[in-house]
């Protein structure tokens, strides 16, 4: 089921693509290059890559996000594709992905698809949630669910460490050039409630509409000591950023 809400994403979660601009710098897109943007969302970073003169294909698993991206950037090319099932074969000079790969449960299939999509000598520049990502936030949610006597749903997210992700890329024929795992405490303009509404659809579904507000208040109470700083909510994001090359 497509639970993505492009309006809420663009209104309250623009920080996702704003932080991703640094990764576009690492990608160094050049005029005339063909570049694949995996998990492009509403397309802001796809457009920045295109602005460098590259020919970009933005893909996303969410029909709603692809529709929004097409609306935002009608001149660019977007496709609704599941990154663990992509079939591109030696078509791109570079593959880029920001804040998307941690959503893909079959990470091996996504790595294999990205490697296959690259031309020989092609580059990969990706950033995703890394080992330890949103640990405090998830803990606050799990404790609130336990208080409501609800079993925590299986996590939809995959947060690998450097060794795990780099080895996986190597197994698919990529040479890892740089890897970093770092904290990025991220202010949430819409607070924890909007973050959960945006990304925790499955959790809210099990909580139910009538208990939603009480549940969010409980998550806030649980999270406050760790995630409330100087009058704003922070997400305890940790990023894994990797660049690699196909031999
Ligand atoms: C992240 O970007 O790390 C993230 C976003 C939504 C849910 C979980 C993690």
């Amino acid at each position: 089921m497509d639970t993505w809400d492009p309006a809420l994403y663009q209104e309250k979660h623009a920080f996702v693509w704003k932080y991703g601009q640094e990764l576009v710098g690492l990608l160094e897109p050049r005029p005339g290059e063909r570049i694949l943007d995996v998990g492009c969302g509403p397309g802001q970073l796809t457009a920045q890559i295109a602005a460098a003169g590259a020919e970009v294909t933005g893909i996303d698993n969410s029909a709603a996000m692809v529709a929004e991206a097409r609306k935002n950037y009608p001149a660019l090319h977007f496709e609704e594709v599941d990154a663990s099932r992509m079939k591109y074969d030696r078509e791109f000079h570079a593959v880029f992905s920001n804040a998307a790969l941690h959503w893909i449960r079959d990470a091996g299939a996504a790595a294999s698809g990205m490697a296959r999509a690259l031309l020989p000598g092609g580059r990969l520049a990706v950033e995703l949630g890394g080992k330890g990502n949103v640990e405090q936030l998830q803990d606050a949610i799990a404790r609130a669910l336990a208080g409501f006597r609800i079993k925590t749903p299986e996590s939809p997210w995959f947060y690998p460490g450097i060794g795990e992700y780099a080895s996986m890329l190597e197994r698919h024929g990529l040479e890892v050039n740089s890897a970093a795992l770092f904290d990025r405490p991220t202010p949430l303009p819409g607070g924890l409630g909007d973050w959960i509404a945006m990304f925790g659809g499955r959790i809210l579904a099990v909580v139910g509409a009538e208990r939603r507000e009480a549940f969010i208040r409980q998550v806030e109470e649980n999270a406050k000591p760790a995630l409330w700083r100087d009058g704003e909510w922070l997400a305890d994001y940790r990023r894994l950023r990797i660049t690699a090359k196909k031999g």
Side-chain angles (χ1 to χ4, degrees), residues 4 28-29 55 93 102 106 132 135-136 138 159 165 178 191-192 221 232 239:
W4 289 94
E28 295 184 37
E55 193 186 303
H93 297 94
H102 51 257
D106 193 348
E135 223 162 60
Q136 300 282 356
Q138 280 186 291
Y159 302 134
Y165 207 74
S178 70
L192 299 189
E221 194 180 314
E232 64 182 359
R239 299 340 255 171

Side-chain angles (χ1 to χ4, degrees), residues 99 102-103 129 133-134 157 159 195 199 237 239:
H102 51 257
W103 286 96
N133 194 42
V134 292
W157 302 308
Y159 302 134
W195 190 90
F199 301 117
Y237 280 169
R239 299 340 255 171

Side-chain angles (χ1 to χ4, degrees), residues 61-220:
N61 196 23
S62 158
M65 285 296 194
V66 170
E68 189 71 13
R70 288 180 178 146
K71 196 168 93 191
N72 287 342
Y73 306 103
L76 302 185
H77 181 66
F78 298 97
E79 296 175 6
E80 188 187 330
V81 175
D82 176 343
S84 56
R85 291 164 186 246
M86 45 189 180
K87 298 274 185 280
Y88 306 107
D89 192 0
R90 284 169 288 179
E91 293 176 39
F92 296 97
H93 297 94
V95 170
F96 172 90
S97 181
N98 178 60
L101 295 171
H102 51 257
W103 286 96
I104 299 168
R105 296 308 300 271
D106 193 348
S112 154
M114 293 191 295
R116 197 181 331 108
L118 284 169
L119 287 158
R123 328 189 286 291
L124 180 87
V126 298
E127 190 174 299
L128 64 152
K131 199 173 179 58
N133 194 42
V134 292
E135 223 162 60
Q136 300 282 356
L137 194 39
Q138 280 186 291
D139 176 64
I141 291 170
R143 284 191 286 130
L145 287 171
F148 281 69
R149 303 202 178 288
I150 298 172
K151 192 166 168 280
T152 300
E154 198 189 332
S155 169
W157 302 308
F158 161 68
Y159 302 134
I162 288 180
E164 186 183 359
Y165 207 74
S167 317
M168 193 169 62
L169 294 178
E170 284 169 1
R171 280 198 298 280
H172 292 289
L174 298 180
E175 182 182 283
V176 174
N177 304 125
S178 70
L181 179 65
F182 56 95
D183 290 320
R184 180 185 284 150
T186 300
L188 298 175
L192 299 189
D194 274 353
W195 190 90
I196 295 170
M198 181 74 226
F199 301 117
R202 285 177 191 214
I203 294 162
L204 291 178
V206 291
V207 169
E210 65 293 344
R211 291 190 293 182
R212 178 184 170 133
E213 282 314 308
F215 171 74
I216 288 170
R217 294 291 90 75
Q218 187 59 54
V219 174
E220 288 176 343

